Structures are given as C-alpha cells and as structure tokens.
Amino acid sequence: MTGKSQEEIIDELRTRIKLRDYGVENTQSTDYPGTYENYDDAWDFEKFKKNFKVVINNYSADKMEMGFDMIGIDASIANSFRRILLSEVPTMAIEKVLIFNNTSVIQDEVLAHRLGLIPLKADPSQFKFKSDPEGDNNQDDTLEYELKIKCKLVKNADREDKKSYIDSKVLSNHIKWIPIGNQAEKVKIISD
C-alpha cells in the first residue's frame, strides 16, 4: 500500500503522464465531472486561470525554434494546441522532387518523401503563395535545392568495412541551395 489517499491517487492519475518501457500512460482526458467517484472535477474558469502556466524553456537567437511547457492543462487540450501550431505556423518544405539518376537502394518515391521531411529554415513571409502549382518556378515563390552525391569505395579497401566508403550516408548538409534570380541578395536562408 502506498499510503496515499484516494484524492492523491486520483490527482496523480489526472496530472501525471508516465513514460514506461512499453508506452506512455495517463494520456487520456479525465477533466470532466463524474469520472471519479466523490471527486469534484467540474471545470471552473477561475481554477483554470489560477493553475494554467506557459513556461518558455528555450528560444533560439534566430527566432526559428522555441521550446515550452504548458502546465495545469489536460493532455488532450495541450495536443490540440500542438496540432494548431503545426497547421497554422507558416513553414516551407520540399514539395516537388525531380530525380534524374537514383542509384541508391531507396525508391524514388521514398527518397522524395524523406526530402520533404527536412525542415527548411527560410522565412515564408519573404515569398508569395504559388497559386498555380503547375506554373513556372520563379524567385518570388520557389526555393531550389540540389543533391548530388555518390558513394565511393576507397581504393584497395575492404568492401565489408563501412569505413571504406566515402559518402555512404546522405545527410541534409549535402543539399545545396541554388538561388533563382536575385534570391542570393534578397532572401535570407538560415543554415546551421
């Protein structure tokens, strides 16, 4: 027996998310009346204002990243905020990929999808929304990148040793920005 009262156990179930070896526990929403017997769980705006806090943990100098904790809020509501931020914060991503010669084991479609997952640190406010996706690319609505990499075996090296290969791993720093028009002067691309 833990020595905790029923109210303390319920409060812990409601306010703690537990990370276990097999998954995450206590992520369900229980912030409504009647979930637990003899426990007042009615939503109250004054109680919410008193308990809810946003703590900013870090804020990058380039203003491209911010980490924060939302305290005193149900996990389902915090997830709603996360989803709103993902859909409403303007971002830029690789959308169209033209592949000329892919000799890797990864299929073209999978490679194109993975390229689309790479975050582009560009300010979307410097660009116009492309109204015609099939129209020509120009400096006002498009960023162009190039990926040219070839895996090579070092001469007289052991083929079984991974260190015998040059460029056997493709990384995001292999992608090079190709400015269109006068983008080199106009657009600020933030690189790590």
Side-chain angles (χ1 to χ4, degrees), residues 29-91:
S29 177
T30 60
D31 195 8
Y32 48 88
T35 305
Y36 302 105
E37 189 178 337
N38 300 324
Y39 187 82
D40 181 19
D41 214 359
W43 193 82
D44 179 30
F45 183 65
E46 294 303 318
K47 183 178 165 187
F48 175 77
K49 282 194 324 186
K50 179 182 166 210
N51 293 332
F52 180 62
K53 291 189 286 191
V54 175
V55 177
I56 297 174
N57 298 323
N58 56 40
Y59 190 65
S60 65
D62 60 7
K63 299 181 181 176
M64 297 295 282
E65 295 177 24
M66 181 173 77
F68 60 92
D69 291 333
M70 290 191 286
I71 301 166
I73 193 168
D74 190 73
S76 62
I77 304 298
N79 187 48
S80 298
F81 280 121
R82 181 191 65 82
R83 293 176 66 115
I84 290 167
L85 288 172
L86 284 172
S87 65
E88 297 298 325
V89 172
T91 56

Side-chain angles (χ1 to χ4, degrees), residues 153-154 156-165:
L153 178 65
V154 177
N156 302 323
D158 179 17
R159 287 185 176 267
E160 299 299 318
D161 184 11
K162 290 182 181 181
K163 294 179 183 176
S164 301
Y165 293 92

Side-chain angles (χ1 to χ4, degrees), residues 97-126:
V97 178
L98 303 173
I99 298 176
F100 294 107
N101 186 17
N102 178 9
T103 58
S104 72
V105 295
I106 299 175
Q107 297 92 343
D108 292 353
E109 295 81 10
V110 175
L111 180 60
H113 178 261
R114 287 186 180 178
L115 290 170
L117 297 174
I118 297 171
L120 301 180
K121 291 191 171 186
D123 184 0
S125 66
Q126 295 178 331

Side-chain angles (χ1 to χ4, degrees), residues 140-154:
D140 297 323
D141 62 20
T142 303
L143 285 172
E144 193 169 305
Y145 290 85
E146 179 179 70
L147 174 62
K148 283 187 178 179
I149 192 163
K150 184 175 183 178
C151 177
K152 300 173 204 123
L153 178 65
V154 177

